[in-house]
Amino acid sequence: MNAIRYSKGFKMQCVREVEAGRSCAYAVQRKYKIKGSATVMRWGAPVGSGRYGKIIRVERAHEVNEAGQLRSELRRVKEALADTHMELALEQAFLAVACEELDQSLGGL
C-alpha cells in the first residue's frame, strides 16, 4: 500500500477553497481524489485561518444566560439546604437540652 503525502501548499489550497465557501470539504476531497473521509477537514486546524471548524453556539433569547441562571439557582438551593441542615441540628440540640432538663429520654419522644 502506497502512502500519499500532500504538500503544505496543496493542503492550504484545499482548505482555502473550503473556507472561502466555494466548496464543502467533501466536494474538495472528490475534486482532488483525496483519500479519507475527513482528511480535508483535519487539514483545516493546522493550515487554515481558524474560521473553518469553529463551534458556533446559536441560542434563543431565553437561553442566552441559561447556564448562569442555572448556576445561580443551584447556589441558592445549596444555601437553602445548608440552612435547613443547620436549623435541624439546632432543633435537635434544643430538644436534647429540653429533655435533659425535664428528665425525659429522647427514645420515648
Side-chain angles (χ1 to χ4, degrees):
M1 182 169 147
N2 295 332
I4 300 173
R5 304 274 182 211
Y6 299 99
S7 70
K8 187 171 182 175
F10 177 75
K11 291 177 184 180
M12 290 173 69
Q13 175 188 345
C14 293
V15 171
R16 282 193 186 118
E17 283 186 33
V18 174
E19 287 180 341
R22 292 187 296 245
S23 301
C24 67
Y26 182 70
V28 170
Q29 174 191 337
R30 280 193 333 235
K31 177 180 176 181
Y32 296 110
K33 296 180 177 133
I34 299 169
K35 305 236 189 283
S37 59
T39 303
V40 175
M41 292 177 67
R42 200 172 48 248
W43 290 345
V47 298
S49 66
R51 292 186 323 214
Y52 182 71
K54 282 188 177 179
I55 297 173
I56 300 172
R57 180 175 166 87
V58 178
E59 299 174 330
R60 295 188 182 122
H62 70 279
E63 296 173 331
V64 171
N65 196 15
E66 186 178 18
Q69 291 170 348
L70 290 173
R71 278 192 294 274
S72 296
E73 184 178 351
L74 179 61
R75 189 185 74 249
R76 285 192 302 272
V77 169
K78 285 180 176 182
E79 289 171 357
L81 180 61
D83 290 344
T84 304
H85 281 298
M86 185 62 76
E87 289 174 9
L88 178 62
L90 288 172
E91 288 181 13
Q92 287 175 342
F94 177 75
L95 180 61
V97 169
C99 287
E100 188 178 302
E101 288 183 10
L102 296 172
D103 291 327
Q104 297 285 324
S105 71
L106 284 173
L109 296 176

